[in-house]
Amino acid sequence: MWGGTQLAKQTAQYGSWKSPITSDLIVQGTISFEQVLVDGLDIYWIESRPAEGGRSVVMRQNASGQVEELTPQPFNARDRVHEYGGGAVAIRDGIVYFSNFADNHLYVRDRDGNIHALTQDSKMRYADGQIDVARGRWIGVREDHTKSDIFAENTIVAVNTDGSGETVLVSGNDFYAFPRISPDGTQLAFITWHHPNMPWDETELWTGKFAADGTLTDLTKVAGVKNESILQPKWAPNGQLYYISDESNWWNIKRITDGKLETVVAMDAEFTSPNWAFGQSDYDFIDASTIICDYTQNGKWYLAQIDTQSGALKPVASEYTSFSSIRTDGERVVFLAGSPTSFRVVVTTNVDGSNPTVLRKSSEVQVDPDYLSIPESIEFPTENGKTAHGIYYRPKNPDFTAPEGEKPPLLVHVHGGPTSAASSVLSLSTQYWTSRGVAVLDVNYGGSTGYGREYRDRLKGQWGIVDVDDAANGAKYLGEQGEVDANRLAIAGGSAGGYTTLAALTFRDVFNAGASHFGLSELEVFAQETHKFESRYMDSLLGPYPEAKDVYFNRSPINFTNQLSCPIAFFQGLDDKIVPPNQAELMVEALRKKNLPVAYLAFEGEGHGFRRAENIKRALDGEFYFYSRVFGFTPADDIEPIHIENMDAEPGK
């Protein structure tokens, strides 16, 4: 940990402060977690390692506390289903089943450590599996790309664990998720939905019974009405089926009792988040009468127990403020967690939350808390008399102060999704900015999760308007409050956040600079070229294509570059299948023709989001360097410059 703070602060411009939170520190030994599983006395998790090119590894802590890596190089326990993957690993009795990213095959690792493939066709992808012990099968979601990528066929299949073949159990719908086997092995529950819905729009809960030959019979829809999102079905130990539904406006836990649908506990809170990736687990059963769960309310996450008989919710004390991947064996609870002052960790506790033990940290970096900006939840007025939300970070560095009267530049960060939400968990990438003297606003614009379905539905038909207005109004609000320099406002985001960034820079005259990380600029191209999972997403965000062709045109920044008047930097993976590189390259070329300052960094081997340490570092430093040139401050670090075209040219000439 860094030692004593200097007694006398140095005076330096905002943005010019020397910080120990460097890009090298951020990528040094940093990992991320994707899934937690419990098998007997053993605990498993999947960690993604930027230092190994983003390789995902299955880890295990056994009953004696020994931690070991189970999937060595070159295996990468990650799948491509829906392109976002998730749920790549299933475990039963010490045997590990996992999807391998390089060839899409489903593999098995036996108890002796031997690994072999169960499938052979690389155009088949597998995710979200469970083990059907009685019949010797892996049952999960398969995505068949043998005919087409955008028209891939999604089914629920059973893969024989001896490698002798596989059988389709359920087919005919556009999408499936959460296939879950009942405790007695006689039934299967699953979620399904159809285009143009996304899983947070409208899904259905179905069950089926296993016949003697292992096929599914008596397929029955048991829950799901129009505009109801159902997620995470789970069987209680007594065989009762539970699930999460937003029929009440909030994602609350429900169950089926004698054919009747019951709400277990009704709260103005969300007990899950959007199902972008497989493998979610926001609740589990300690026993038939007790649930351990997480939920979010007013931007903060909590851990709690629920008495399934009375519906009483009892908070579980924890030092953490973010939770996911909840699992329990009835005596211990294991989950992923984090807080504003601690990195994301794998934690195990007693079922009452006592005796917390960290099994694995996402970073071993020791950060002096004096350098950490603590997030503040803020609300601010936006269009149509409504209120929007955000998480605000003030500049913080114990060694520096700004010249009297100077206000800091502001970076508005726009999350992806767009139904995602900003997290308050410690992020050195955010602290990188604040410790150098740049304020940060993580905006939870209308459409974000955590504030109920009504708030989430604000974006329906309004993408490129509501999100842009909320981002702009958040920046203006902080400027009006005297928190930041209203003449040095930047906006940045990745994926859908990159689109909001480009739309804000094109259609609003609020920001002075911006950075798009693999962001959309041409919505019509995206509607025609993207993968199956998102191929109809914009029906709800913008309208069906081509019927709403004019809307797509009018909200595409690339069509209105004449309205651009400020510098923009672009960061793009050349292997991105979700937002292809031409989305950035079209915009860069338009800025070149206008003689506006523009920077373009393209990364070989990167897809939708950067996983390699060297590229994460280059993008972060590159964006900071870009703003330093635009806003006129001098970085304290020796940052490798990026090439900024037209930086000294007069815009428009």
Side-chain angles (χ1 to χ4, degrees):
M1 180 178 289
W2 297 297
T5 302
Q6 296 180 15
L7 294 178
K9 290 189 175 186
Q10 301 178 54
T11 298
Q13 269 188 299
Y14 285 114
S16 299
W17 298 351
K18 179 72 173 176
S19 170
I21 303 175
T22 63
S23 58
D24 286 319
L25 188 75
I26 291 170
V27 300
Q28 174 189 333
T30 299
I31 58 177
S32 61
F33 302 117
E34 300 172 21
Q35 194 178 357
V36 169
L37 296 166
V38 176
D39 179 51
L41 297 177
D42 296 337
I43 297 171
Y44 298 77
W45 64 89
I46 294 86
E47 57 187 50
S48 176
R49 302 172 177 173
E52 296 182 26
R55 188 172 77 94
S56 292
V57 182
V58 181
M59 304 292 292
R60 174 174 65 195
Q61 178 179 282
N62 61 25
S64 64
Q66 179 184 2
V67 175
E68 57 183 326
E69 176 183 315
L70 301 184
T71 50
Q73 292 274 16
F75 293 109
N76 185 355
R78 179 179 162 214
D79 67 87
R80 300 171 185 258
V81 181
H82 294 176
E83 297 300 335
Y84 293 97
V89 178
I91 298 162
R92 188 64 182 254
D93 299 329
I95 300 174
V96 180
Y97 303 82
F98 67 95
S99 294
N100 186 48
F101 190 72
D103 56 18
N104 295 318
H105 295 164
L106 189 64
Y107 284 79
V108 59
R109 180 194 186 277
D110 65 25
R111 296 185 188 90
D112 296 323
N114 303 305
I115 298 176
H116 65 272
L118 295 179
T119 63
Q120 302 299 324
D121 191 338
S122 63
K123 289 187 176 293
M124 300 288 192
R125 305 175 181 181
Y126 303 85
D128 209 13
Q130 287 201 319
I131 307 307
D132 181 5
V133 177
R135 302 166 187 84
R137 307 184 298 180
W138 175 98
I139 293 179
V141 176
R142 186 184 76 182
E143 194 170 74
D144 182 349
H145 288 251
T146 54
K147 296 178 182 177
S148 167
D149 286 331
I150 196 166
F151 297 111
E153 181 184 10
N154 293 69
T155 56
I156 294 177
V157 300
V159 178
N160 297 332
T161 55
D162 62 3
S164 60
E166 58 192 89
T167 304
V168 175
L169 297 178
V170 188
S171 64
N173 291 351
D174 291 323
F175 299 99
Y176 298 93
F178 300 107
R180 299 296 181 256
I181 304 167
S182 63
D184 62 5
T186 64
Q187 298 183 75
L188 184 76
F190 59 90
I191 296 296
T192 184
W193 68 97
H194 303 270
H195 278 318
N197 292 310
M198 298 299 281
W200 45 86
D201 292 326
E202 181 178 312
T203 60
E204 300 171 348
L205 174 59
W206 286 67
T207 61
K209 296 178 180 178
F210 288 112
D213 62 358
T215 59
L216 272 182
T217 62
D218 297 332
L219 288 172
T220 305
K221 175 184 168 182
V222 295
V225 297
K226 186 174 178 59
N227 296 325
E228 178 185 9
S229 169
I230 293 175
L231 301 173
Q232 294 190 46
K234 285 194 177 186
W235 299 91
N238 62 3
Q240 195 167 16
L241 184 56
Y242 285 67
Y243 61 97
I244 297 177
S245 163
D246 70 353
E247 189 178 14
S248 69
N249 182 54
W250 301 92
W251 267 317
N252 284 182
I253 299 175
K254 302 184 74 169
R255 67 182 168 210
I256 303 174
T257 302
D258 298 327
K260 296 181 179 179
L261 310 182
E262 301 177 335
T263 300
V264 179
V265 55
M267 289 178 59
D268 290 353
E270 306 270 44
F271 285 78
T272 187
S273 53
N275 181 216
W276 278 99
F278 293 99
Q280 284 179 303
S281 181
D282 289 293
Y283 72 105
D284 204 356
F285 294 92
I286 296 172
D287 52 45
S289 61
T290 313
I291 289 173
I292 184 75
C293 66
D294 59 42
Y295 68 93
T296 181
Q297 199 169 41
N298 299 322
K300 184 178 178 181
W301 284 87
Y302 302 87
L303 195 65
Q305 286 187 12
I306 298 174
D307 183 322
T308 62
Q309 303 305 310
S310 67
L313 182 140
K314 177 183 176 182
V316 174
S318 176
E319 65 184 277
Y320 301 105
T321 58
S322 177
F323 307 90
S324 62
S325 206
I326 307 287
R327 305 283 183 177
T328 179
D329 60 7
E331 296 183 1
R332 302 169 299 170
V333 180
V334 189
F335 49 87
L336 303 179
S339 78
T341 56
S342 64
F343 297 108
R344 198 168 293 277
V345 291
V346 182
V347 180
T348 180
T349 72
N350 296 331
V351 293
D352 62 359
S354 63
N355 193 31
T357 303
V358 174
L359 307 184
R360 183 74 157 153
K361 298 177 181 178
S362 58
S363 177
E364 294 294 337
V365 170
Q366 296 285 310
V367 180
D368 186 334
D370 284 347
Y371 290 89
L372 299 181
S373 176
I374 302 302
E376 307 168 33
S377 293
I378 66 169
E379 296 181 354
F380 52 89
T382 189
E383 304 303 306
N384 302 313
K386 296 184 182 296
T387 297
H389 301 270
I391 301 174
Y392 178 53
Y393 297 82
R394 302 172 188 272
K396 175 108 179 267
N397 188 314
D399 304 326
F400 288 91
T401 186
E404 186 176 352
E406 184 184 1
K407 300 293 184 183
L410 173 70
L411 174 61
V412 173
H413 180 259
V414 187
H415 65 70
T419 53
S420 185
S423 170
S424 61
V425 172
L426 175 60
S427 165
L428 287 189
S429 295
T430 298
Q431 303 295 334
Y432 173 98
W433 297 95
T434 57
S435 61
R436 285 167 172 73
V438 177
V440 174
L441 172 64
D442 263 337
V443 61
N444 277 325
Y445 51 82
S448 302
T449 297
Y451 306 94
R453 176 151 188 154
E454 183 181 342
Y455 191 81
R456 195 167 77 243
D457 282 351
R458 283 188 191 178
L459 211 57
K460 294 228 174 206
Q462 299 297 307
W463 194 32
I465 297 177
V466 165
D467 50 326
V468 171
D469 283 335
D470 289 355
N473 285 327
K476 289 195 291 185
Y477 171 79
L478 290 173
E480 291 165 358
Q481 295 296 308
E483 289 283 344
V484 301
D485 184 345
N487 295 312
R488 292 193 294 173
L489 303 176
I491 183 171
S495 190
Y499 164 70
T500 300
T501 293
L502 294 174
L505 294 169
T506 303
F507 302 121
R508 302 292 186 277
D509 187 21
V510 172
F511 296 98
N512 312 104
S516 169
H517 297 254
F518 39 91
L520 292 160
S521 64
E522 218 284 20
L523 297 175
E524 289 187 71
V525 171
F526 183 75
Q528 298 171 54
E529 294 184 359
T530 192
H531 57 108
K532 179 184 177 182
F533 180 62
E534 290 187 85
S535 63
R536 299 289 301 279
Y537 186 18
M538 289 192 292
D539 282 28
S540 65
L541 295 176
L542 298 169
Y545 187 87
E547 293 87 339
K549 184 180 176 72
D550 288 348
V551 176
Y552 285 70
F553 182 89
N554 290 331
R555 296 195 201 161
S556 293
I558 191 64
N559 298 323
F560 298 91
T561 54
N562 62 302
Q563 298 182 31
L564 285 170
S565 60
C566 68
I568 309 176
F570 295 83
F571 303 87
Q572 177 70 43
L574 293 178
D575 290 347
D576 194 336
K577 299 297 189 293
I578 296 173
V579 178
N582 69 325
Q583 289 274 302
E585 291 161 1
L586 288 169
M587 202 74 174
V588 170
E589 185 58 33
L591 286 159
R592 282 177 181 145
K593 290 179 179 178
K594 289 199 69 177
N595 283 333
L596 282 168
V598 60
Y600 179 48
L601 268 68
F603 299 108
E604 294 277 358
E606 291 285 16
H608 196 64
F610 306 147
R611 286 177 170 260
R612 298 181 181 178
E614 64 272 20
N615 296 335
I616 295 171
K617 168 185 167 59
R618 182 67 170 137
L620 183 58
D621 283 341
E623 186 178 346
F624 184 73
Y625 175 83
F626 181 77
Y627 296 143
S628 76
R629 293 291 309 277
V630 173
F631 291 147
F633 58 80
T634 302
D637 306 292
D638 185 17
I639 295 176
E640 180 183 355
I642 62 172
H643 177 56
I644 306 175
E645 300 180 45
N646 303 323
M647 189 63 223
D648 298 318
E650 184 180 348
K653 299 295 185 182

